Amino acid sequence: MSENPEPDSAAPPRRRIKKLDVMVSEVIRETHDSATLVLFTGNDHLTYKPGHFLTIDPHQFPALERFIEYFEEIKGKKEPARAYSLTSAPHDKHLAITIKEEYYTSGVTHYPPLLSPLLVWRTQPGTRMEVTGFGGPYVLPDDIETQTDHLVHICAGSGIVPNFSMVRHALSQQMKLRHTLIYGNRTYRDIIFQQALDDLSREFPDQLTVVHALSRESDVSRYGTNFHRGRVDRSLIASMIEDPTAVRVFSCGPAISRWEKMTAKESGLEPKPRFMESVTEALEEIGVPSKNIRSEKYG
């Protein structure tokens, strides 16, 4: 990475965003609608934190050219780059991102998804692209061991990705931290990193506890004792937090979208809370201080 200019003594140093030419070296099918892209970057020394994301500009893909022209015409603005959290951790040899295909849902999403279907279904090993990294405040702090000895990760869907990086990094670096991961999905087949999480739980039984919440499964007992029927709710969260004032919570998942807010306003109704709104309310009710919570939302 390029050296930063000498910072002003009164201001924090600024990170330079770096553009990287990468090649997809492997595509790993995680679930029926998600895939991990392993990215080969050459000999660059990459510096990033667990939880960081990179961005991908859709304009670089010829297959999207006509769609982009249409979207930019009706939106009246340029299509922005899309951000994807890093699955990889700093100790890994290669970068990796995991993408879950987005869907168009009337009243929830304004436009059909543009980039995620291409990345999940049409990207093959050998594909070259440019990515920009690394950024985002949702990261594991360097001094986290001085703040707590218990991290609670509360995720839904593809919100598992940055937290998966955090957990793997902390365990690999032998940090003195205990991790509780509460992971919500609709069904068993929607669980991203299911096998990897099982393997980590067996390897680090004293440091990692994983609890799955499945909202659309009638019988979760067949999957194991760490499966909960229903959504991630206040009761489940409270049962996993012994001391609300001592933990640090990292929560990532879907939140009310801008389009949902606009639609609700036009109808004179309040938008229905989604995962992140429900988790935030539950944490407040059980007494976790807001300063102990870090969150990343998408929608």
Side-chain angles (χ1 to χ4, degrees):
M1 180 173 287
S2 303
E3 292 292 329
N4 286 328
E6 190 68 26
D8 184 271
S9 60
R14 298 177 62 186
R15 292 177 59 88
R16 280 189 176 178
I17 300 299
K18 185 174 184 178
K19 291 186 177 181
L20 301 168
D21 292 316
V22 304
M23 182 185 73
V24 178
S25 61
E26 186 179 5
V27 179
I28 303 169
R29 295 292 164 196
E30 302 288 355
T31 67
H32 62 99
D33 60 357
S34 65
T36 293
L37 306 183
V38 181
L39 308 176
F40 177 70
T41 61
N43 296 319
D44 284 320
H45 175 68
L46 304 175
T47 302
Y48 63 93
K49 293 181 180 293
H52 266 152
F53 63 79
L54 56 74
T55 60
I56 301 176
D57 189 338
H59 292 84
Q60 65 186 295
F61 300 102
L64 298 179
E65 183 177 347
R66 295 180 182 180
F67 297 100
I68 290 174
E69 289 178 356
Y70 171 73
F71 283 144
E72 291 184 340
E73 180 178 343
I74 61 174
K75 294 179 183 179
K77 61 181 180 180
K78 183 179 179 180
E79 277 294 314
R82 271 49 170 186
Y84 296 100
S85 295
L86 289 164
T87 310
S88 55
H91 67 277
D92 289 326
K93 184 177 180 180
H94 298 304
L95 289 180
I97 56 175
T98 301
I99 306 103
K100 182 179 176 70
E101 182 185 10
E102 298 168 279
Y103 298 93
Y104 174 77
T105 304
S106 180
V108 177
T109 50
H110 200 173
Y111 301 102
L114 179 65
L115 186 54
S116 66
L118 177 78
L119 295 177
V120 172
W121 296 112
R122 300 290 297 276
T123 303
Q124 301 297 324
T127 300
R128 294 182 179 274
M129 67 180 78
E130 182 182 81
V131 303
T132 304
F134 302 96
Y138 187 72
V139 296
L140 192 66
D142 294 334
D143 64 346
I144 188 63
E145 290 172 283
T146 68
Q147 300 178 27
T148 186
D149 63 357
H150 186 197
L151 297 187
V152 176
H153 307 264
I154 308 177
C155 311
S158 60
I160 186 65
V161 177
N163 292 68
F164 184 64
S165 175
M166 293 178 192
V167 170
R168 289 181 57 247
H169 177 75
L171 293 175
S172 74
Q173 300 304 303
Q174 300 180 339
M175 292 184 179
K176 296 178 181 179
L177 296 170
R178 181 163 55 93
H179 302 266
T180 298
L181 170 60
I182 305 171
Y183 185 21
N185 283 286
R186 293 179 178 178
T187 68
Y188 185 83
R189 70 194 292 259
D190 293 311
I191 300 173
I192 302 173
F193 310 135
Q194 186 268 329
Q195 186 60 57
L197 290 172
D198 281 354
D199 293 342
L200 285 172
S201 297
R202 282 191 291 267
E203 185 177 356
F204 302 95
D206 298 327
Q207 290 180 267
L208 176 61
T209 299
V210 180
V211 177
H212 295 281
L214 303 180
S215 62
R216 296 189 181 179
E217 292 275 9
S218 58
D219 180 16
V220 298
S221 61
R222 55 181 169 156
Y223 300 124
T225 57
N226 61 324
F227 283 81
H228 169 84
R229 182 186 177 190
R231 299 179 183 275
V232 175
D233 57 17
R234 180 187 181 280
S235 176
L236 179 59
I237 295 172
S239 70
M240 306 307 295
I241 298 179
E242 303 95 343
D243 185 349
T245 64
V247 300
R248 295 296 184 272
V249 176
F250 289 80
S251 183
C252 184
I256 299 171
S257 69
R258 183 174 61 177
W259 175 242
E260 287 176 286
K261 292 178 182 178
M262 291 172 54
T263 303
K265 185 177 180 179
E266 291 173 357
S267 62
L269 302 172
E270 287 294 321
K272 184 179 179 180
R274 300 187 71 190
F275 176 80
M276 289 301 295
E277 288 79 21
S278 298
V279 167
T280 300
E281 182 179 0
L283 290 171
E284 180 181 344
E285 289 178 355
I286 67 176
V288 178
S290 58
K291 64 182 179 63
N292 291 2
I293 303 170
R294 292 197 178 197
S295 61
E296 184 161 86
K297 307 173 183 179
Y298 59 86

